[in-house]
Amino acid sequence: MELVLRNKIAEAVKALYGGVVDENSIQLQETRKDFNGDYTFVVFPIIRFSKNTPEKTAEDIGNYLVENLSPIADFNVVKGFLNLVISDEWWVKFFTEFCNSDDIFASCRVKTPETILVEYSSPNTNKPLHLGHIRNNLLGFSLYRILSSCGHRAIKTNIVNDRGIHICKSMLAWLKYGNGETPSSSGMKGDHLVGKYYVMFENEYKAQVEALKKEGMDEETAQMSAPIIVEARNMLVKWEAGDEEVIKVWKMMNSWVYEGFDETYRKLGVDFDKIYYESETYKDGKEQVLKALDKGIFYRKEDGSVWANLEPDGLDHKVLIRSDGTTVYITQDIGTAIARQNDFHFDRCIYVVGNEQNYHFQVLKAILKKMGYNWADGLIHFSYGMVELPEGKMKSREGTVVDADDLIDEMIETARELSAELGKLEEINDNEKEEIFRKIGLGALKYFILKVDPKKNMTFNPTESIDFNGNTGPFIQYTYARIRSVMRKASQINLAANPAMLIHAKPCAKEIALIKLIKKFTSSVTESAETYNPAIVANYCYELAKEYNQYYHDYSILGEKDIVTRNLRLMLSDKISFVLSKAMWLLGIEMPERM
């Protein structure tokens, strides 16, 4: 309809005023809820052709559209805005076509698909995944599904940060204090066990720094001189030199962490098409940096360290290789980016990384461009805000993070308790109940996080997230389950929805409003893909579920006596549940058939 309207408006301008307007420049938008209409045309740019007031111009074009475009039933003018009313017959026709289509995403598909890598998760192998990682994983996985649904060749990637000083900290603490402890001997999940030693290192490091300060050393010198951090730095040098004993411990502890990560990913319902490892890509990055050094692209300081001068790009000088020959984080990012381009020849590579790394990605793009890689223009930092709890910020090194596994288990348990209070699952067997509890708990967690604009910092409140009323995942899931219950009852009494009967339907205003919301699905998905914002789809789900619930409350479905009207209501109910399930699928949320 939007394309038809633009074409007809351009035709009207030419017929009425002799002007030629580019259809793409025609400003058309959904009519605001406080005005009567479906589409609003902004008239102001056209008055240069009409040589008249915005109001008169809008009236002229409105009359032309009513006379020459049958779906336009009426119009009204508010200042320089022409509000167009689409006929009920057109909406019924649209809904009939929707019911007969087997591809809900057809209208979302782009004309020129791209290869788009979506990097998310990016964990360190010195600690388990926490609440911050949950937001990262959910955003990345949802973005992948949204982009794929729009026809792009989207690829899920992960970079595991499995080397560096932070990894050495956990390794050193285990060697000093572990007494050979393993996940099997301790009964702890592998990533949790390694995280315990990371916290242990930090506690000992703080104690040593404080002791040195009491001896008269200034804080900065104390932080550099604490024996345990000196040992960790020496361990990193040994690791990069390939020391057999250090590598052996590194491989063993990393294997514990990978098993733990895989279990958490399975619980969360996310996965990857390709996993890269910093321990591999940093070598390529270092090699590329040294080649660029030989070409005079970078420079070496007297202490042997290698730097990039990014002042011409409005940035700073950035160290790429330390004086001891070890690499920094951005060196592996250089290697990873080049490896990905070689592997997939991507058009875009989207890094789902928190906003504290904004500068880092400016630097990465500038360095790669300086090295001659023009495809670096396709590197995009999906910068999202931090997630906190009502109590405040979390700190890994202090052991005050909210563990992802614990949070997932807590959400499922809360769903179990709330469902028991409602008492609506008493006739369902225990296995099915547990599956429903899992879907509700994870649905609450995922929706609460994804409904917030990614750019914003957010506070995750577990209690609010699992409320069965309001803008929550369980509310939308309950709406879906309610509809599926209606459809099961319809089947039991041999009532089948029939799209062929829709041609006779005379929908009421509320039913037209629901059909309009169904049509809004594709534009919501498209906007979400273009702006990298799953919150648009999430809040669309709530809007649709809320409107349907009001409709369900006000209108009888199975009890309606008129066959044509009852058929319309069954078709509406069925297709709304279908749209809700597809929209929530884009967010990685499963929908229970019963609640």
Side-chain angles (χ1 to χ4, degrees):
M1 176 51 71
E2 291 89 340
L3 292 175
V4 172
L5 280 174
R6 285 193 169 89
N7 176 268
K8 216 64 180 176
I9 289 169
E11 179 186 297
V13 172
K14 186 173 184 179
L16 294 169
Y17 315 119
V20 177
V21 181
D22 180 3
E23 291 180 20
N24 295 323
S25 69
I26 292 173
Q27 297 179 42
L28 200 64
Q29 57 203 32
E30 283 186 26
T31 303
R32 285 168 44 185
K33 289 183 178 180
D34 44 342
F35 293 102
N36 179 36
D38 298 303
Y39 294 97
T40 296
F41 169 50
V42 183
V43 175
F44 295 104
I46 305 301
I47 58 176
R48 61 193 172 100
F49 299 112
S50 68
K51 311 296 184 186
N52 214 322
T53 65
E55 291 80 2
K56 183 64 171 64
T57 305
E59 189 174 337
D60 289 344
I61 294 175
N63 283 320
Y64 184 92
L65 294 177
V66 169
E67 292 172 9
N68 293 278
L69 191 60
S70 58
I72 305 299
D74 198 2
F75 71 91
N76 61 85
V77 178
V78 180
K79 297 184 178 178
F81 299 92
L82 171 61
N83 299 322
L84 301 168
V85 179
I86 307 298
S87 68
D88 289 357
E89 290 77 15
W90 188 90
W91 288 114
V92 171
K93 181 174 179 288
F94 159 77
F95 184 58
T96 304
E97 291 172 353
F98 179 84
C99 292
N100 290 320
S101 171
D102 58 1
D103 186 358
I104 192 173
F105 295 110
S107 299
C108 304
R109 301 240 162 74
V110 295
K111 292 180 180 178
T112 309
E114 295 182 351
T115 296
I116 304 176
L117 271 60
V118 184
E119 178 199 285
Y120 57 94
S121 201
S122 311
N124 296 329
T125 56
N126 66 330
K127 57 191 175 186
L129 303 178
H130 54 64
L131 177 55
H133 289 113
I134 287 179
R135 190 180 197 191
N136 181 296
N137 279 276
L138 296 183
L139 285 170
F141 187 72
S142 178
L143 186 59
Y144 154 77
R145 281 193 167 174
I146 290 167
L147 291 168
S148 296
S149 297
C150 289
H152 295 293
R153 181 196 176 208
I155 298 159
K156 310 182 293 284
T157 71
N158 186 1
I159 175 70
V160 178
N161 304 303
D162 61 344
R163 62 167 289 280
I165 190 70
H166 49 295
I167 309 300
C168 291
K169 289 177 179 179
S170 293
M171 292 165 57
L172 184 60
W174 182 83
L175 286 170
K176 283 180 170 291
Y177 315 118
N179 296 316
E181 184 178 28
T182 66
S184 57
S185 70
S186 65
M188 288 182 73
K189 202 162 159 275
D191 49 339
H192 290 222
L193 180 64
V194 173
K196 181 180 91 169
Y197 286 100
Y198 178 66
V199 174
M200 202 176 288
F201 176 96
E202 289 296 337
N203 289 338
E204 177 60 24
Y205 175 51
K206 282 182 182 176
Q208 290 184 9
V209 169
E210 289 303 314
L212 292 173
K213 285 164 65 179
K214 287 180 180 177
E215 293 174 6
M217 198 175 286
D218 66 85
E219 183 162 358
E220 186 178 347
T221 306
Q223 289 173 346
M224 294 294 293
S225 305
I228 197 166
I229 196 68
V230 172
E231 285 186 79
R233 286 199 296 267
N234 289 336
M235 178 179 277
L236 177 60
V237 173
K238 288 182 179 180
W239 184 92
E240 292 209 10
D243 183 279
E244 288 186 8
E245 288 303 311
V246 172
I247 297 294
K248 182 179 177 182
V249 174
W250 172 77
K251 286 182 176 179
M252 177 183 67
M253 294 183 73
N254 271 354
S255 71
W256 299 345
V257 175
Y258 296 148
E259 287 183 13
F261 284 172
D262 287 344
E263 184 179 331
T264 307
Y265 290 140
R266 281 194 298 273
K267 284 183 179 179
L268 204 54
V270 303
D271 59 8
F272 309 94
D273 299 312
K274 173 80 175 181
I275 298 178
Y276 294 85
Y277 296 89
E278 183 183 355
S279 56
E280 298 169 359
T281 60
Y282 92 95
K283 296 174 185 175
D284 296 332
K286 186 174 184 178
E287 183 180 328
Q288 292 287 338
V289 167
L290 290 174
K291 284 181 180 178
L293 176 68
D294 291 341
K295 295 176 182 177
I297 296 171
F298 304 133
Y299 68 95
R300 191 187 293 275
K301 286 190 175 181
E302 290 181 2
D303 63 1
S305 58
V306 177
W307 293 71
N309 177 10
L310 302 177
E311 286 184 352
D313 302 285
L315 301 169
D316 208 340
H317 289 251
K318 176 65 180 177
V319 62
L320 302 176
I321 300 176
R322 299 186 187 96
S323 58
D324 61 7
T326 59
T327 56
V328 296
Y329 190 72
I330 205 162
T331 316
Q332 71 86 6
D333 262 353
I334 294 168
T336 306
I338 294 170
R340 285 173 175 161
Q341 177 60 214
N342 291 337
D343 289 344
F344 297 105
H345 307 290
F346 61 78
D347 298 294
R348 282 183 272 169
C349 180
I350 300 172
Y351 295 88
V352 182
V353 180
N355 55 18
E356 77 278 10
Q357 294 294 328
N358 288 349
Y359 184 77
H360 173 88
F361 286 102
Q362 292 178 44
V363 170
L364 175 63
K365 183 180 286 192
I367 287 174
L368 286 166
K369 291 276 285 182
K370 189 177 284 290
M371 294 172 73
Y373 295 114
N374 291 328
W375 48 257
D377 285 329
L379 302 185
I380 296 165
H381 178 203
F382 179 139
S383 174
Y384 66 90
M386 295 296 98
V387 56
E388 300 174 2
L389 289 169
E391 300 83 47
K393 292 184 179 179
M394 305 173 291
K395 296 181 180 177
S396 297
R397 64 188 62 188
E398 294 178 11
T400 61
V401 301
V402 176
D403 179 79
D405 296 307
D406 292 343
L407 182 56
I408 291 169
D409 292 343
E410 178 189 329
M411 295 300 295
I412 295 171
E413 179 58 32
T414 304
R416 184 182 292 111
E417 292 170 359
L418 286 175
S419 296
E421 289 177 16
L422 293 172
K424 294 188 176 183
L425 300 176
E426 294 174 355
E427 298 178 2
I428 298 176
N429 67 59
D430 289 344
N431 288 338
E432 190 177 348
K433 280 182 185 176
E434 287 304 312
E435 187 65 6
I436 291 171
F437 300 150
R438 183 187 66 80
K439 289 178 179 178
I440 295 172
L442 281 169
L445 171 64
K446 293 179 179 183
Y447 184 83
F448 197 89
I449 286 175
L450 291 173
K451 74 176 182 179
V452 179
D453 186 314
K455 297 182 183 66
K456 296 180 179 178
N457 291 342
M458 68 168 293
T459 300
F460 176 72
N461 189 317
T463 305
E464 285 183 19
S465 73
I466 208 161
D467 191 342
F468 278 66
N469 297 298
N471 190 3
T472 66
F475 171 74
I476 298 166
Q477 289 174 317
Y478 182 72
T479 303
Y480 173 83
R482 166 179 271 175
I483 297 174
R484 298 325 301 162
S485 176
V486 169
M487 301 311 294
R488 283 193 299 272
K489 289 175 182 175
S491 179
Q492 289 165 7
I493 57 176
N494 296 317
L495 285 180
N498 183 1
M501 288 178 62
L502 290 173
I503 192 172
H504 304 295
K506 301 293 182 185
C508 67
K510 192 69 174 177
E511 288 157 349
I512 291 293
L514 286 171
I515 294 172
K516 290 177 182 179
L517 273 177
I518 290 173
K519 187 176 186 302
K520 190 178 175 183
F521 170 74
T522 52
S523 62
S524 297
V525 175
T526 299
E527 184 183 357
S528 184
E530 290 174 349
T531 59
Y532 311 129
N533 188 355
I536 293 168
V537 171
N539 287 289
Y540 166 80
C541 289
Y542 173 61
E543 185 181 5
L544 181 59
K546 182 178 67 173
E547 289 300 316
Y548 179 82
N549 269 286
Q550 291 175 356
Y551 175 68
Y552 179 87
H553 180 269
D554 295 340
Y555 296 87
S556 174
I557 297 173
L558 298 181
E560 172 58 46
K561 302 301 182 185
D562 181 76
I563 297 173
V564 173
T565 302
R566 184 177 63 213
N567 181 72
L568 170 63
R569 292 176 183 177
L570 278 172
M571 289 298 304
L572 264 176
S573 299
D574 188 41
K575 292 306 173 183
I576 285 171
S577 73
F578 176 68
V579 172
L580 283 176
S581 68
K582 290 296 185 181
M584 292 288 268
W585 176 83
L586 292 173
L587 305 177
I589 297 174
E590 298 171 85
M591 302 293 265
E593 295 291 313
R594 305 171 191 268
M595 277 179 72

